[in-house]
Amino acid sequence: ILVGQLRPTTYWERKVMTRVEKLIDKVRHELSDLDKSRWSDVGLLGILTDAQEDIVYKTNCFHKTINILTSVDKNTYVLPEDVRLLKSIAFNNSSLSLVTTRWIESFNKDWKTAKGNPSYAIYDNIDRGAIKITPIPTEPEEIAITYLANPVPVLSLTDDLTIDLSYDLGLFYYIVARALSRDFDAQDVNVGSRYMLLYNKEIKRFLAESSKSFLATSRPFICPYQGFV
């Protein structure tokens, strides 16, 4: 195996494939396992799922924004299941401060029933599946929630990937590294560690590029949130 080099694409490789199929195919060429005698598709897809999750976790590259219509008679709203970390919450184009239940209780004992324009969003370990806003709005308005999302697991060769094409080389390095690290051959394990170094270099490149982007450098809101309780 030539560390850090993708093999030249052959005519057979250029047949119509999904993105996942192409990625797994290149990995099999790199591992010299075209007959699937050492690594099953299920095993490599499992590593691909881990790779995608690792990249999303380390680079914060997968953002989503949803809009939820508020009600005048409730303050709790269920979040999507793929929420990993809330980034910002806005009501009527105004950012809400993200706080914990402990903080809001110390600030306003009547926060659960207070009415007016929402100023705070409550989110902590008491209920990770929902947010609460206070005061309760007097008219229905949408709240915009931007969050870091968990990627969708890759279960088959025809599945779509959550992250875009720019991360494919990093995914390739990670899969090869993890596959070789599970081998009983000491030489393969050593080669696998070298691929992991290449993967880590890709992560550093992603972070360097994202630090220049608006999303990474902007500060959508300032809040007194101090962590989960």
Side-chain angles (χ1 to χ4, degrees):
I1 297 175
L2 300 177
V3 176
Q5 297 183 11
L6 295 176
R7 296 175 184 273
T9 303
T10 65
Y11 172 81
W12 180 79
E13 290 178 271
R14 289 196 297 270
K15 69 179 183 179
V16 178
M17 291 181 174
T18 66
R19 183 179 164 201
V20 172
E21 284 177 317
K22 290 178 181 178
L23 188 55
I24 295 300
D25 185 63
K26 288 183 180 297
V27 168
R28 288 201 177 280
H29 274 77
E30 200 73 4
L31 296 173
S32 299
D33 188 43
L34 296 179
D35 62 357
K36 304 182 182 183
S37 61
R38 299 178 68 188
W39 292 278
S40 67
D41 283 342
V42 172
L44 293 180
L45 290 174
I47 299 175
L48 174 56
T49 292
D50 292 344
Q52 191 169 229
E53 290 178 351
D54 195 68
I55 288 175
V56 168
Y57 177 77
K58 290 178 177 176
T59 66
N60 294 333
C61 64
F62 186 34
H63 295 74
K64 285 186 178 181
T65 298
I66 60 168
N67 294 311
I68 298 178
L69 185 65
T70 60
S71 171
V72 297
D73 57 6
K74 72 174 185 178
N75 65 359
T76 303
Y77 301 90
V78 176
L79 293 171
E81 293 183 355
D82 64 345
V83 171
R84 183 168 68 84
L85 180 66
L86 293 182
K87 295 292 289 182
S88 67
I89 302 174
F91 175 85
N92 199 20
N93 296 320
S94 295
S95 296
L96 305 186
S97 293
L98 187 61
V99 301
T100 64
T101 302
R102 178 184 296 174
W103 189 92
I104 199 67
E105 288 281 1
S106 66
F107 179 74
N108 182 2
K109 296 293 184 182
D110 299 321
W111 67 271
K112 293 181 180 179
T113 57
K115 296 274 189 174
N117 289 325
S119 300
Y120 300 98
I122 298 93
Y123 180 66
D124 53 32
N125 279 343
I126 292 176
D127 185 0
R128 294 292 299 275
I131 62 164
K132 298 177 176 65
I133 63 172
T134 187
I136 297 172
T138 54
E139 294 182 5
E141 294 276 359
E142 285 190 340
I143 51 175
I145 303 173
T146 299
Y147 64 95
L148 297 177
N150 291 313
V152 178
V154 184
L155 303 177
S156 76
L157 294 171
T158 57
D159 282 353
D160 293 326
L161 291 174
T162 299
I163 56 181
D164 63 49
L165 286 165
S166 64
Y167 297 95
D168 278 11
L169 184 57
L171 292 171
F172 169 80
Y173 288 151
Y174 186 99
I175 299 170
V176 174
R178 282 282 303 279
L180 291 175
S181 70
R182 297 178 179 181
D183 205 303
F184 292 106
D185 188 298
Q187 183 176 352
D188 281 352
V189 172
N190 183 56
V191 173
S193 66
R194 292 158 63 189
Y195 273 94
M196 189 55 72
L197 288 175
L198 291 171
Y199 169 73
N200 289 329
K201 287 183 179 179
E202 278 294 289
I203 291 294
K204 290 180 179 179
R205 181 180 67 81
F206 298 149
L207 293 173
E209 291 179 355
S210 65
S211 67
K212 301 174 184 178
S213 71
F214 171 80
L215 189 58
T217 57
S218 62
R219 295 186 178 182
F221 64 99
I222 300 173
C223 67
Y225 180 65
Q226 299 296 324
F228 297 120
V229 294

